[in-house]
Amino acid sequence: MIEGDPLKKVLHIDLSIKRFWVEERNDLFEKFIGGVGVASQLLSEECGKKTDPLGPKNPIIFAVGPLTGSFPLASKTVSMFKSPLTGNLGESHAGGRSAIAIRMAGYGAIVIKGQSSEPVYIAVHGNRVYFKNASVLWGMGNSYSVGRILRERESGAGLRTIMRIGRAGEELISYASVITETYRHFGRLGLGAVFGSKKLKAIVISGNNSLKVNNVKQYRKTYDEIYNSVVNSPAMNKYHELGTPINVNVINSIEALPTRNLKEAKFEYADNISGETFLEKYLGRRIACAHCPVSCIHLAALRESYESDPYFFKTTMISYDYEPIFSLGSMLGIPNPDELLRLLEEIEILGFDAMSAGVVLAWATESQEAGLISEKDTFGIKFKWGDYESYIKALRLVIKCENEFYEALGRGVEHASTVYGGDDFALAFGGNEMPGYHTGPAAYIGFLTGARHSHLDNAGYSLDQKVISSNEKLTPDETANKLLSEEIWRQILSSLVVCFFARGIYTPEIVTKALEIMGYNLTYDDSLNIGREILKIKNNFKKENGFNENNLRIPKRIFETKAPTGKFTEEYIRQGVSAYFKLLNSD
Amino acid sequence: MCDFLVNGKIVVVDVNLCVGCQSCMFACTRRFGNAGLGKSAIHIGSAGGIERGFVVIICRGCPDPPCMKVCPSNALRKRDGGGVILDAGKCIGCKNCVKECTIGAIFWDEEMNKPVICVHCGICANYCPYGVLKLEKKGDD
């Protein structure tokens, strides 16, 4: 790290006593670079094994990296915490302006602990930290309004992040999200509920630093190399033009798009909700994260008239991506893009994780079909595939939490299925609701072994797709080996906080070069060692908090619905999982 | 690199093309060999919520610059082609220029306690992947 780089500063905030202080942690940033490496170490330092995810001792950790603010696409913020959804390691990444704002405010990481007695929001403007009353914002029905109010009330326009929760976070729904810059999210694993448990409605962070680099000439050269490969790369083009929903037709065409709670893997209306259709009929604006020229964020313009006055219209902008299209579209059998967008908008207003919410509603629909839950449980709702209005009603009832059923739904399918049954089709892995890839065994071994049980941990879905196109067969051991290598390298990318979309651009060679400019001398092998160590820290944390790879529940549904790789067995999956952990712990 | 010597001027071609990536802002600070944003003479913010798009704030290169008129130490002089040139040695850091600019296009370098003033060099336009900005030279259409 370059001497004087503010990256080493860790801002600690205690909401119980409304105090803050800064610790200089050269050690941490020298050893673990930044992002997920630093956050994992901070989590293990700050979060003891019996910590209640919704108690004052659970830390909220944000971390960025040395390339943030110095090179393009290093614009992700890693958040870590103990997850109220899984009761174990929580990790969620978001872009927007969050990473740049933290770095430009002069910090490498922020740790928030304690619990406020009344609703608050925090404003961090450079080295000044303010605790501000949020009683008026608490309980506000629409998260968009909260963003609008804070935008007008706080300074730093263009240089700030505004992270906030909706009603779901306030009500401690286990898969509540934190929304940042209206259209990006710390979606997964319930960070929103951790905010809510601390009575923390929002955090505004702004700053305007400049940073020193080693060797200015080389800096400009390496910058241009990265920048040019980003703006000219066909690899980035797909994110830029159609955005992530390009995958809807791709995944559907290989019959891997989970449909109606994965009773099927092909959605007959996929084209209606595809990236191509959204581009043609809905795309209203494309936007970018700070310091990323790609602009993968796609906003749909939804024009609706009011029933009471058909000459009165409103136009809403709703960000759409592959995952919410899967979870709220094919997974719930919604064929109409207008209706899908209405449901997605409601998710944003209330502040749920779109992925978990969709999978939870899909489980509820099938459970009602199977007679496991009654209309008495649902307060009269009869769930039907494609009926978006009943799903909107149900989400509002989850927030109200007025009976045992909705209380259970608010805790995710892993929990709900222990109360009502239906665990054969409760599609969570390691407690986290599934993403939109029924590609084959590597995807599922990946969800089960990945440190945060996310498809992004090790991209098993991508491995399956390679297997399909090359017709090769992998043994469980080979699969585990490839997944582990990928996950190790991704620890480095997410310690640099480089967006995974740019993984093809940030090759090991480029990473070494860019790091050198920011004062790090790391070879590829050094990086891999650090990556492995980070992964071990995360898995140790998980073990201490009760994770046991031998007790993982695997829903039978995934073996019943044919995947494009062909059917696979539970034995294969279990062998893969066990091989993965054997390899991870082998040295 | 020395385009500004021919007295070009940065113009906003079409603000609706802006995606808010702020590559221009980072490029501007990189002129000085720094990373980050602290020395940028261009600013991109949302037009009241990202869904409404963005605003680009950059020196318009006024032929009769009001910022110059309020400088008590004659640190600003007229630039050929519009706008002003800062003589940092004369600047006392009073921020009068910042307050005077109607569009808020004079920024502040906290580290140096001096204004950051656009010299219309065009580096921001070079790093705008969407053609929002252009360095207009004399004789251009």
Side-chain angles (χ1 to χ4, degrees), chain B residues 17-19 28 32-33 40 45-46 52 57-58 62-63 75 79 83 85-86 93 103 106 113 122 127 130:
Chain B
L17 292 170
C18 181
V19 298
C28 191
F32 299 98
S40 296
S46 83
R52 291 163 194 263
I57 303 174
I58 188 161
C62 305
R79 171 185 170 274
I85 291 172
L86 171 74
I103 57 169
I106 296 188
N113 201 35
Y127 286 89
Y130 297 100

Side-chain angles (χ1 to χ4, degrees), chain A residues 1-8 26 30 211-214 517-519:
Chain A
M1 196 173 18
I2 291 173
E3 212 188 320
D5 190 330
L7 187 69
K8 63 187 170 216
N26 286 55
E30 289 286 0
L211 304 165
K212 290 199 170 51
V213 296
N214 276 340
I517 284 153
M518 297 315 290

Side-chain angles (χ1 to χ4, degrees), chain A residues 69-70 151 157-158 183 208-211 213 216 219-220 223-224 227 240 285-288 290-295, chain B residues 19 21-23 25-26 30-31 33-39 43-44 48-54 111 127-130:
Chain A
S70 52
R151 213 156 48 225
Y183 300 111
N208 196 21
N209 264 351
S210 51
L211 304 165
V213 296
V216 171
Y219 170 47
R220 291 192 180 123
Y223 189 100
D224 287 351
Y227 179 87
H240 162 94
R285 192 175 283 285
R286 258 183 18 204
I287 54 179
H291 212 180
C292 171
V294 176
S295 77
Chain B
V19 298
C21 72
Q22 303 184 327
S23 296
M25 293 167 66
F26 286 95
R30 223 162 40 250
R31 274 184 309 150
N34 285 109
L37 294 170
K39 295 176 192 298
H43 182 86
I44 308 293
I50 288 170
E51 64 274 17
R52 291 163 194 263
F54 297 91
E111 215 174 39
Y127 286 89
C128 176
Y130 297 100

Side-chain angles (χ1 to χ4, degrees), chain A residues 49-68:
Chain A
K49 60 179 157 184
K50 286 192 179 148
T51 302
D52 172 4
L54 299 176
K57 289 187 176 162
N58 190 14
I60 295 169
I61 298 162
F62 295 109
V64 298
L67 307 191
T68 307

